[in-house]
Coordinates of all heavy atoms in Angstrom, one line a residue:
M774 N -0.2 -16.9 4.3 CA -0.3 -16.9 2.8 C 0.0 -18.3 2.3 O 1.0 -18.9 2.6 CB 0.5 -15.9 2.2 CG 0.4 -15.8 0.7 SD 1.5 -14.4 0.1 CE 0.5 -13.9 -1.2
A775 N -0.9 -18.9 1.5 CA -0.6 -20.1 0.9 C 0.4 -20.1 -0.2 O 0.6 -19.1 -0.8 CB -2.0 -20.7 0.3
T776 N 1.1 -21.2 -0.3 CA 2.2 -21.3 -1.3 C 1.5 -21.6 -2.7 O 0.5 -22.3 -2.7 CB 3.2 -22.3 -1.0 OG1 2.6 -23.6 -0.9 CG2 4.0 -22.0 0.3
K777 N 2.1 -21.1 -3.7 CA 1.6 -21.4 -5.1 C 2.0 -22.8 -5.5 O 3.1 -23.2 -5.3 CB 2.2 -20.4 -6.1 CG 1.6 -20.5 -7.5 CD 2.4 -19.8 -8.5 CE 2.4 -18.3 -8.3 NZ 3.0 -17.6 -9.5
T778 N 1.0 -23.5 -6.1 CA 1.2 -24.8 -6.6 C 1.6 -24.7 -8.1 O 0.9 -24.0 -8.8 CB 0.0 -25.7 -6.5 OG1 -0.4 -25.8 -5.1 CG2 0.2 -27.0 -7.1
I779 N 2.7 -25.3 -8.4 CA 3.2 -25.2 -9.8 C 3.0 -26.5 -10.5 O 3.4 -27.6 -10.0 CB 4.7 -24.8 -9.9 CG1 4.9 -23.5 -9.2 CG2 5.2 -24.9 -11.3 CD1 6.4 -23.1 -9.1
A780 N 2.2 -26.5 -11.6 CA 1.9 -27.7 -12.3 C 3.1 -28.0 -13.2 O 3.4 -27.3 -14.2 CB 0.7 -27.5 -13.1
R781 N 3.8 -29.1 -12.9 CA 4.9 -29.5 -13.8 C 5.1 -31.0 -13.6 O 4.8 -31.6 -12.6 CB 6.2 -28.8 -13.4 CG 6.7 -29.0 -12.0 CD 8.1 -28.3 -11.9 NE 8.0 -27.6 -10.6 CZ 9.1 -27.1 -10.1 NH1 10.2 -27.3 -10.6 NH2 9.0 -26.4 -9.0
P782 N 5.6 -31.6 -14.7 CA 5.8 -33.0 -14.6 C 6.8 -33.4 -13.6 O 7.8 -32.7 -13.4 CB 6.3 -33.4 -16.0 CG 6.5 -32.2 -16.8 CD 6.0 -31.0 -15.9
T783 N 6.6 -34.5 -12.9 CA 7.5 -34.9 -11.8 C 8.7 -35.7 -12.4 O 9.7 -35.8 -11.7 CB 6.8 -35.7 -10.7 OG1 6.2 -36.8 -11.3 CG2 5.8 -34.9 -10.0
T784 N 8.5 -36.3 -13.5 CA 9.6 -37.0 -14.2 C 9.7 -36.6 -15.6 O 8.7 -36.2 -16.2 CB 9.3 -38.5 -14.2 OG1 8.1 -38.8 -14.8 CG2 9.3 -39.1 -12.7
P785 N 10.9 -36.6 -16.2 CA 11.0 -36.2 -17.6 C 10.2 -37.1 -18.5 O 10.1 -38.3 -18.2 CB 12.5 -36.3 -17.9 CG 13.1 -36.4 -16.5 CD 12.1 -36.9 -15.6
V786 N 9.6 -36.6 -19.5 CA 8.9 -37.4 -20.5 C 9.4 -37.1 -21.9 O 9.9 -36.0 -22.1 CB 7.4 -37.1 -20.4 CG1 6.8 -37.5 -19.1 CG2 7.1 -35.6 -20.7
A787 N 9.3 -38.0 -22.8 CA 9.7 -37.8 -24.1 C 8.8 -36.8 -24.8 O 7.7 -36.6 -24.5 CB 9.6 -39.1 -24.9
P788 N 9.4 -36.0 -25.7 CA 8.6 -34.9 -26.3 C 7.3 -35.3 -26.9 O 6.3 -34.6 -26.8 CB 9.6 -34.3 -27.4 CG 10.9 -34.8 -27.0 CD 10.7 -36.0 -26.2
E789 N 7.3 -36.5 -27.6 CA 6.0 -36.9 -28.2 C 5.0 -37.3 -27.1 O 3.8 -37.4 -27.4 CB 6.2 -38.0 -29.2 CG 6.9 -39.3 -28.6 CD 8.5 -39.2 -28.6 OE1 9.0 -38.2 -29.1 OE2 9.1 -40.1 -28.1
D790 N 5.4 -37.6 -25.9 CA 4.5 -38.0 -24.8 C 4.1 -36.9 -24.0 O 3.3 -37.0 -23.1 CB 5.2 -39.1 -23.9 CG 5.5 -40.4 -24.6 OD1 4.8 -40.6 -25.6 OD2 6.4 -41.1 -24.2
N791 N 4.6 -35.7 -24.3 CA 4.4 -34.5 -23.4 C 3.2 -33.8 -24.0 O 3.2 -32.7 -24.5 CB 5.6 -33.6 -23.5 CG 5.6 -32.5 -22.4 OD1 4.7 -32.5 -21.6 ND2 6.5 -31.6 -22.5
A792 N 2.0 -34.3 -23.7 CA 0.7 -33.7 -24.1 C 0.1 -33.0 -23.0 O -1.0 -33.4 -22.6 CB -0.2 -34.8 -24.7
Q793 N 0.7 -32.0 -22.5 CA 0.2 -31.3 -21.3 C -0.9 -30.3 -21.8 O -0.9 -29.9 -22.9 CB 1.3 -30.5 -20.6 CG 2.1 -31.3 -19.6 CD 3.0 -30.4 -18.8 OE1 4.0 -29.9 -19.3 NE2 2.6 -30.2 -17.6
D794 N -1.7 -30.0 -20.9 CA -2.8 -29.0 -21.1 C -2.1 -27.7 -21.4 O -1.2 -27.3 -20.6 CB -3.7 -29.0 -19.9 CG -4.8 -27.9 -20.0 OD1 -5.6 -28.1 -20.9 OD2 -4.8 -27.0 -19.2
P795 N -2.6 -26.9 -22.3 CA -2.0 -25.6 -22.6 C -2.0 -24.6 -21.4 O -1.1 -23.9 -21.2 CB -2.9 -25.0 -23.7 CG -3.4 -26.2 -24.4 CD -3.6 -27.2 -23.4
A796 N -3.0 -24.8 -20.6 CA -3.1 -23.9 -19.4 C -2.0 -24.3 -18.4 O -1.4 -23.4 -17.8 CB -4.4 -24.0 -18.7
D797 N -1.6 -25.6 -18.3 CA -0.5 -26.0 -17.4 C 0.8 -25.5 -18.0 O 1.7 -25.0 -17.3 CB -0.5 -27.5 -17.3 CG -1.6 -28.1 -16.4 OD1 -2.2 -27.3 -15.7 OD2 -1.8 -29.3 -16.5
L798 N 0.9 -25.6 -19.3 CA 2.2 -25.1 -19.9 C 2.3 -23.6 -19.8 O 3.5 -23.1 -19.5 CB 2.2 -25.5 -21.5 CG 2.2 -27.0 -21.8 CD1 2.0 -27.2 -23.3 CD2 3.5 -27.5 -21.3
L799 N 1.3 -22.9 -19.9 CA 1.3 -21.4 -19.7 C 1.7 -21.1 -18.2 O 2.5 -20.3 -17.9 CB 0.0 -20.8 -20.1 CG -0.1 -19.3 -19.9 CD1 1.0 -18.6 -20.7 CD2 -1.5 -18.8 -20.2
E800 N 1.1 -21.8 -17.3 CA 1.4 -21.6 -15.9 C 2.9 -21.9 -15.6 O 3.5 -21.2 -14.9 CB 0.5 -22.5 -14.9 CG 0.8 -22.3 -13.5 CD 0.0 -23.2 -12.6 OE1 -0.7 -24.1 -13.1 OE2 0.0 -22.9 -11.4
N801 N 3.4 -23.0 -16.2 CA 4.8 -23.3 -16.0 C 5.7 -22.2 -16.5 O 6.6 -21.8 -15.8 CB 5.1 -24.6 -16.8 CG 4.5 -25.9 -16.2 OD1 4.1 -25.8 -15.0 ND2 4.5 -26.9 -16.9
T802 N 5.4 -21.8 -17.7 CA 6.2 -20.7 -18.3 C 6.2 -19.4 -17.6 O 7.2 -18.8 -17.3 CB 5.8 -20.5 -19.8 OG1 5.8 -21.7 -20.5 CG2 6.6 -19.5 -20.5
L803 N 5.0 -19.0 -17.1 CA 4.8 -17.8 -16.3 C 5.6 -17.9 -15.0 O 6.2 -17.0 -14.5 CB 3.4 -17.5 -16.1 CG 2.6 -17.0 -17.3 CD1 1.1 -16.9 -17.0 CD2 3.2 -15.7 -17.8
S804 N 5.6 -19.1 -14.4 CA 6.3 -19.3 -13.1 C 7.8 -19.2 -13.3 O 8.5 -18.6 -12.6 CB 6.0 -20.7 -12.5 OG 4.7 -20.8 -12.1
Q805 N 8.3 -19.8 -14.4 CA 9.7 -19.7 -14.8 C 10.1 -18.2 -15.1 O 11.1 -17.8 -14.6 CB 10.0 -20.6 -16.0 CG 9.9 -22.0 -15.7 CD 10.1 -22.9 -16.9 OE1 9.8 -22.5 -18.0 NE2 10.6 -24.1 -16.7
L806 N 9.3 -17.6 -15.8 CA 9.6 -16.2 -16.2 C 9.6 -15.3 -15.0 O 10.5 -14.4 -14.8 CB 8.6 -15.7 -17.2 CG 8.7 -14.2 -17.6 CD1 10.1 -14.0 -18.3 CD2 7.6 -13.8 -18.6
E807 N 8.6 -15.5 -14.1 CA 8.6 -14.7 -12.9 C 9.8 -14.9 -12.0 O 10.4 -13.9 -11.5 CB 7.3 -15.1 -12.1 CG 7.1 -14.3 -10.8 CD 5.9 -14.8 -10.0 OE1 5.5 -16.0 -10.2 OE2 5.4 -14.0 -9.2
A808 N 10.2 -16.2 -11.9 CA 11.4 -16.4 -11.1 C 12.7 -15.8 -11.8 O 13.5 -15.3 -11.1 CB 11.6 -18.0 -11.0
L809 N 12.8 -15.9 -13.1 CA 13.9 -15.3 -13.8 C 14.0 -13.8 -13.6 O 15.1 -13.2 -13.3 CB 13.8 -15.7 -15.3 CG 15.0 -15.2 -16.2 CD1 16.3 -15.8 -15.7 CD2 14.7 -15.5 -17.6
L810 N 12.8 -13.1 -13.7 CA 12.8 -11.7 -13.5 C 13.1 -11.4 -12.1 O 13.8 -10.4 -11.8 CB 11.4 -11.1 -13.9 CG 11.1 -11.2 -15.4 CD1 9.7 -10.8 -15.6 CD2 12.1 -10.3 -16.2
W811 N 12.7 -12.2 -11.1 CA 13.0 -11.9 -9.7 C 14.5 -12.1 -9.5 O 15.1 -11.3 -8.7 CB 12.2 -13.0 -8.9 CG 12.1 -12.7 -7.4 CD1 11.3 -11.8 -6.8 CD2 12.8 -13.4 -6.4 NE1 11.4 -11.9 -5.5 CE2 12.4 -12.8 -5.2 CE3 13.7 -14.4 -6.4 CZ2 12.8 -13.3 -3.9 CZ3 14.2 -14.8 -5.1 CH2 13.8 -14.2 -4.0
V812 N 15.1 -13.0 -10.1 CA 16.5 -13.2 -9.9 C 17.3 -12.1 -10.6 O 18.3 -11.6 -10.0 CB 17.0 -14.6 -10.5 CG1 18.5 -14.7 -10.7 CG2 16.4 -15.7 -9.7
C813 N 16.8 -11.6 -11.7 CA 17.5 -10.5 -12.4 C 17.5 -9.3 -11.6 O 18.4 -8.4 -11.7 CB 16.9 -10.3 -13.8 SG 17.2 -11.6 -14.9
H814 N 16.5 -9.1 -10.8 CA 16.4 -7.8 -10.0 C 17.6 -7.9 -9.0 O 18.3 -6.9 -8.8 CB 15.1 -7.8 -9.3 CG 14.9 -6.5 -8.5 ND1 15.1 -6.5 -7.1 CD2 14.6 -5.3 -8.9 CE1 14.9 -5.2 -6.7 NE2 14.6 -4.5 -7.7
G815 N 17.7 -9.1 -8.3 CA 18.9 -9.4 -7.6 C 19.2 -8.7 -6.3 O 20.1 -8.9 -5.6
E816 N 18.4 -7.7 -5.9 CA 18.7 -6.8 -4.8 C 18.3 -7.5 -3.5 O 17.1 -7.7 -3.3 CB 18.1 -5.5 -5.0 CG 18.6 -4.4 -4.0 CD 18.1 -3.1 -4.4 OE1 18.2 -2.7 -5.6 OE2 17.5 -2.4 -3.5
E817 N 19.3 -7.8 -2.7 CA 19.0 -8.3 -1.3 C 18.2 -9.5 -1.3 O 17.2 -9.7 -0.5 CB 18.4 -7.2 -0.4 CG 19.4 -6.0 -0.3 CD 18.7 -5.0 0.7 OE1 17.9 -5.3 1.5 OE2 19.1 -3.8 0.5
I818 N 18.5 -10.5 -2.2 CA 17.7 -11.8 -2.3 C 18.3 -12.7 -1.2 O 19.5 -12.9 -1.2 CB 17.8 -12.4 -3.7 CG1 17.1 -11.5 -4.7 CG2 17.2 -13.8 -3.6 CD1 17.3 -12.0 -6.1
D819 N 17.4 -13.2 -0.4 CA 17.8 -14.2 0.6 C 17.5 -15.6 0.0 O 16.4 -16.0 -0.1 CB 17.1 -14.1 1.9 CG 17.5 -15.0 2.9 OD1 18.3 -15.9 2.7 OD2 16.9 -15.0 4.1
W820 N 18.6 -16.3 -0.5 CA 18.4 -17.6 -1.2 C 18.1 -18.7 -0.3 O 17.7 -19.8 -0.7 CB 19.6 -17.9 -2.0 CG 19.9 -17.0 -3.1 CD1 20.9 -16.0 -3.2 CD2 19.1 -16.8 -4.3 NE1 20.8 -15.3 -4.3 CE2 19.7 -15.7 -5.0 CE3 17.9 -17.4 -4.8 CZ2 19.2 -15.3 -6.2 CZ3 17.4 -16.9 -6.0 CH2 18.0 -15.9 -6.7
C821 N 18.2 -18.5 1.1 CA 18.0 -19.5 2.1 C 16.7 -19.6 2.7 O 16.4 -20.5 3.5 CB 19.2 -19.5 3.1 SG 20.8 -19.6 2.3
S822 N 15.9 -18.5 2.6 CA 14.6 -18.5 3.3 C 13.6 -17.7 2.5 O 13.9 -17.1 1.5 CB 14.8 -17.8 4.7 OG 15.2 -16.5 4.6
G823 N 12.4 -17.6 3.0 CA 11.4 -16.9 2.3 C 11.1 -17.4 0.9 O 11.0 -18.6 0.7
D824 N 11.0 -16.6 -0.1 CA 10.7 -17.0 -1.5 C 12.0 -17.4 -2.2 O 11.9 -18.0 -3.2 CB 10.1 -15.8 -2.2 CG 8.7 -15.5 -1.9 OD1 8.0 -16.4 -1.3 OD2 8.2 -14.4 -2.2
G825 N 13.1 -17.2 -1.6 CA 14.4 -17.5 -2.3 C 14.5 -18.9 -2.8 O 14.8 -19.1 -4.0
P826 N 14.4 -19.9 -2.0 CA 14.6 -21.3 -2.5 C 13.6 -21.7 -3.6 O 14.0 -22.3 -4.5 CB 14.4 -22.2 -1.2 CG 14.7 -21.2 -0.1 CD 14.3 -19.9 -0.5
G827 N 12.4 -21.3 -3.5 CA 11.4 -21.6 -4.5 C 11.7 -20.9 -5.8 O 11.6 -21.5 -6.9
R828 N 12.1 -19.6 -5.7 CA 12.5 -18.9 -6.9 C 13.7 -19.5 -7.6 O 13.8 -19.7 -8.8 CB 12.8 -17.4 -6.6 CG 11.7 -16.7 -6.0 CD 10.5 -16.5 -6.9 NE 9.5 -15.8 -6.2 CZ 8.5 -15.1 -6.8 NH1 8.5 -15.0 -8.1 NH2 7.6 -14.4 -6.0
L829 N 14.7 -19.9 -6.8 CA 15.9 -20.5 -7.3 C 15.6 -21.9 -8.0 O 16.1 -22.2 -9.0 CB 16.9 -20.7 -6.2 CG 18.3 -21.3 -6.6 CD1 19.0 -20.4 -7.7 CD2 19.2 -21.5 -5.5
D830 N 14.7 -22.6 -7.4 CA 14.2 -23.9 -7.9 C 13.6 -23.7 -9.3 O 13.9 -24.4 -10.2 CB 13.2 -24.6 -7.0 CG 12.7 -25.9 -7.5 OD1 13.6 -26.7 -7.9 OD2 11.5 -26.1 -7.6
N831 N 12.8 -22.6 -9.4 CA 12.1 -22.3 -10.7 C 13.1 -21.9 -11.8 O 13.0 -22.2 -12.9 CB 11.1 -21.3 -10.5 CG 9.8 -21.8 -9.9 OD1 9.6 -23.0 -9.8 ND2 8.9 -20.9 -9.5
V832 N 14.2 -21.2 -11.4 CA 15.2 -20.7 -12.3 C 16.0 -22.0 -12.8 O 16.3 -22.1 -14.0 CB 16.2 -19.7 -11.7 CG1 17.3 -19.4 -12.6 CG2 15.4 -18.4 -11.5
L833 N 16.3 -22.9 -11.9 CA 17.0 -24.1 -12.3 C 16.1 -25.0 -13.2 O 16.6 -25.6 -14.1 CB 17.5 -24.8 -11.0 CG 18.5 -24.1 -10.2 CD1 18.8 -24.9 -8.9 CD2 19.8 -23.9 -11.0
W834 N 14.8 -25.0 -12.9 CA 13.9 -25.7 -13.7 C 13.8 -25.1 -15.1 O 13.9 -25.8 -16.1 CB 12.5 -25.6 -13.0 CG 11.3 -26.1 -13.8 CD1 11.3 -27.1 -14.7 CD2 10.0 -25.6 -13.7 NE1 10.0 -27.3 -15.1 CE2 9.2 -26.3 -14.5 CE3 9.4 -24.5 -12.9 CZ2 7.8 -26.1 -14.7 CZ3 8.1 -24.3 -13.1 CH2 7.3 -25.1 -13.9
L835 N 13.9 -23.8 -15.2 CA 13.9 -23.1 -16.5 C 15.2 -23.5 -17.3 O 15.1 -23.8 -18.5 CB 13.8 -21.6 -16.3 CG 14.1 -20.7 -17.5 CD1 13.0 -20.9 -18.6 CD2 14.1 -19.2 -17.1
A836 N 16.3 -23.4 -16.6 CA 17.6 -23.8 -17.2 C 17.5 -25.2 -17.8 O 18.0 -25.5 -18.9 CB 18.7 -23.6 -16.3
A837 N 17.0 -26.1 -17.0 CA 16.9 -27.5 -17.4 C 15.9 -27.7 -18.6 O 16.2 -28.4 -19.5 CB 16.3 -28.4 -16.2
D838 N 14.8 -26.9 -18.6 CA 13.9 -26.9 -19.7 C 14.6 -26.4 -21.0 O 14.5 -27.0 -22.1 CB 12.7 -26.1 -19.5 CG 11.5 -26.8 -18.8 OD1 11.7 -28.1 -18.5 OD2 10.5 -26.2 -18.5
L839 N 15.3 -25.4 -20.9 CA 16.1 -24.8 -22.0 C 17.1 -25.8 -22.6 O 17.3 -25.9 -23.8 CB 16.7 -23.5 -21.7 CG 15.7 -22.3 -21.4 CD1 16.4 -21.1 -20.9 CD2 15.0 -22.0 -22.7
A840 N 17.8 -26.4 -21.7 CA 18.8 -27.4 -22.1 C 18.2 -28.6 -22.8 O 18.7 -29.0 -23.8 CB 19.6 -27.9 -20.9
R841 N 17.0 -29.1 -22.3 CA 16.3 -30.1 -22.9 C 15.8 -29.7 -24.3 O 16.0 -30.5 -25.3 CB 15.1 -30.6 -22.0 CG 14.3 -31.7 -22.6 CD 13.1 -32.0 -21.9 NE 12.2 -30.9 -21.6 CZ 11.4 -30.3 -22.5 NH1 11.3 -30.8 -23.7 NH2 10.7 -29.2 -22.2
K842 N 15.2 -28.5 -24.4 CA 14.7 -28.1 -25.7 C 15.9 -27.9 -26.7 O 15.7 -28.2 -27.9 CB 14.0 -26.8 -25.5 CG 12.6 -27.0 -24.8 CD 11.9 -25.7 -24.5 CE 10.7 -25.9 -23.7 NZ 10.0 -24.7 -23.3
A843 N 17.0 -27.4 -26.2 CA 18.2 -27.2 -27.1 C 18.7 -28.6 -27.6 O 19.0 -28.7 -28.8 CB 19.3 -26.5 -26.4
G844 N 18.7 -29.6 -26.7 CA 19.1 -30.9 -27.2 C 18.1 -31.5 -28.2 O 18.5 -32.1 -29.2
E845 N 16.8 -31.2 -28.0 CA 15.8 -31.7 -29.0 C 16.0 -31.0 -30.3 O 16.0 -31.7 -31.4 CB 14.4 -31.4 -28.4 CG 14.0 -32.3 -27.3 CD 12.7 -31.9 -26.6 OE1 12.0 -31.0 -27.2 OE2 12.4 -32.5 -25.6
L846 N 16.3 -29.7 -30.3 CA 16.5 -29.0 -31.5 C 17.7 -29.4 -32.3 O 17.8 -29.5 -33.5 CB 16.6 -27.5 -31.3 CG 15.2 -26.8 -30.9 CD1 15.5 -25.4 -30.4 CD2 14.3 -26.8 -32.1
F847 N 18.8 -29.7 -31.5 CA 20.0 -30.3 -32.1 C 19.7 -31.6 -32.8 O 20.2 -31.8 -33.9 CB 21.1 -30.4 -31.0 CG 22.4 -31.0 -31.5 CD1 23.2 -30.3 -32.3 CD2 22.7 -32.4 -31.3 CE1 24.4 -30.9 -32.9 CE2 23.8 -32.9 -31.8 CZ 24.7 -32.2 -32.6
Q848 N 19.0 -32.5 -32.1 CA 18.7 -33.8 -32.7 C 17.9 -33.6 -34.0 O 18.2 -34.2 -35.0 CB 17.9 -34.7 -31.7 CG 18.7 -35.1 -30.5 CD 20.0 -35.9 -30.9 OE1 19.9 -36.7 -31.8 NE2 21.1 -35.7 -30.3
L849 N 16.9 -32.7 -34.0 CA 16.1 -32.4 -35.2 C 17.0 -31.8 -36.4 O 16.9 -32.2 -37.5 CB 15.0 -31.4 -34.9 CG 13.9 -32.0 -34.0 CD1 12.9 -30.9 -33.7 CD2 13.1 -33.1 -34.8
S850 N 17.9 -30.9 -36.0 CA 18.8 -30.3 -37.0 C 19.7 -31.4 -37.6 O 20.0 -31.4 -38.8 CB 19.5 -29.1 -36.5 OG 20.5 -29.5 -35.5
E851 N 20.2 -32.3 -36.7 CA 21.1 -33.3 -37.2 C 20.4 -34.3 -38.2 O 20.9 -34.7 -39.2 CB 21.7 -34.1 -36.0 CG 22.9 -33.4 -35.4 CD 24.0 -33.3 -36.4 OE1 24.6 -34.3 -36.8 OE2 24.4 -32.1 -36.7
K852 N 19.1 -34.6 -37.8 CA 18.3 -35.5 -38.7 C 18.1 -34.8 -40.0 O 18.2 -35.5 -41.1 CB 16.9 -35.8 -38.1 CG 17.0 -36.8 -37.0 CD 15.6 -37.0 -36.4 CE 15.6 -38.0 -35.2 NZ 14.3 -38.2 -34.6
A853 N 17.8 -33.6 -40.0 CA 17.6 -32.8 -41.3 C 18.9 -32.7 -42.1 O 18.9 -32.9 -43.3 CB 17.1 -31.4 -41.0
R854 N 20.0 -32.5 -41.4 CA 21.3 -32.4 -42.1 C 21.7 -33.7 -42.7 O 22.1 -33.8 -43.9 CB 22.4 -32.0 -41.1 CG 23.8 -31.8 -41.8 CD 24.8 -31.4 -40.7 NE 25.1 -32.5 -39.9 CZ 25.9 -33.6 -40.2 NH1 26.5 -33.6 -41.4 NH2 26.2 -34.5 -39.3
R855 N 21.4 -34.8 -42.0 CA 21.7 -36.2 -42.5 C 20.8 -36.5 -43.7 O 21.3 -37.1 -44.7 CB 21.6 -37.2 -41.4 CG 22.7 -37.2 -40.4 CD 22.7 -38.3 -39.4 NE 23.7 -38.1 -38.4 CZ 23.5 -38.2 -37.1 NH1 22.3 -38.4 -36.7 NH2 24.4 -38.0 -36.3
A856 N 19.6 -36.1 -43.6 CA 18.6 -36.4 -44.7 C 19.0 -35.6 -45.9 O 18.9 -36.1 -47.0 CB 17.2 -36.0 -44.3
A857 N 19.5 -34.4 -45.8 CA 19.9 -33.6 -46.9 C 21.2 -34.1 -47.5 O 21.3 -34.2 -48.7 CB 20.2 -32.1 -46.4
L858 N 22.1 -34.7 -46.7 CA 23.3 -35.3 -47.3 C 22.9 -36.6 -48.1 O 23.6 -36.8 -49.1 CB 24.3 -35.6 -46.2 CG 25.0 -34.5 -45.5 CD1 25.8 -34.9 -44.3 CD2 25.9 -33.7 -46.5
E859 N 22.0 -37.4 -47.5 CA 21.6 -38.6 -48.2 C 20.9 -38.3 -49.5 O 21.0 -39.2 -50.5 CB 20.7 -39.4 -47.3 CG 21.5 -40.0 -46.1 CD 20.6 -40.7 -45.2 OE1 19.3 -40.8 -45.4 OE2 21.1 -41.2 -44.1
T860 N 20.2 -37.2 -49.6 CA 19.4 -36.9 -50.9 C 20.3 -36.0 -51.8 O 19.8 -35.7 -52.9 CB 18.1 -36.2 -50.5 OG1 18.4 -35.0 -49.8 CG2 17.2 -37.1 -49.7
G861 N 21.5 -35.7 -51.4 CA 22.3 -34.9 -52.2 C 22.0 -33.4 -52.2 O 22.4 -32.7 -53.1
G862 N 21.2 -33.0 -51.2 CA 20.8 -31.6 -51.1 C 21.7 -30.7 -50.3 O 22.5 -30.4 -49.9

C-alpha cells in the first residue's frame, strides 16, 4: 500500500505569504484531524512502527500550527489593544 502524501509547507512562512491552495489547506487539516482522532482512540497504538510515527508527526504538526495561530492572534489582539489605548477607546 502506498503512503499518503501530505501537502504542507516545508519551511514556516509569514501569514501574509501563506497563499496556499484551499484544497491543500483542506488536505492538511483533514490529515491533522485524522491523526488527532487516531491518537484519541489510543488503544494499542505502536508509536514506533506501522502508522504510529506518521500519525504522531501529524499530531505534532497540528500542535505547532495551533501554537503559531495562537501567537498570530495574540499579536493581532495586542495591536488592537494598543490602537484602542492610543485613540482613547
Side-chain angles (χ1 to χ4, degrees):
M774 180 178 211
T776 59
K777 186 192 295 187
T778 301
I779 299 173
R781 61 176 131 166
T783 55
T784 57
V786 293
E789 59 273 358
D790 296 335
N791 194 7
Q793 278 190 286
D794 178 61
D797 287 342
L798 293 172
L799 179 59
E800 182 183 9
N801 289 348
T802 303
L803 289 171
S804 295
Q805 291 173 331
L806 179 59
E807 180 183 24
L809 182 61
L810 292 172
W811 194 77
V812 168
C813 290
H814 184 263
E816 195 171 307
E817 299 180 27
I818 296 174
D819 181 0
W820 296 111
C821 299
S822 64
D824 286 340
R828 303 290 181 158
L829 183 58
D830 181 51
N831 283 345
V832 170
L833 295 173
W834 171 34
L835 171 61
D838 272 359
L839 290 173
R841 180 187 52 77
K842 289 174 185 174
E845 290 170 6
L846 288 171
F847 176 75
Q848 293 300 320
L849 290 173
S850 69
E851 280 297 298
K852 285 180 186 177
R854 186 184 66 80
R855 288 184 186 132
L858 288 174
E859 289 173 3
T860 59

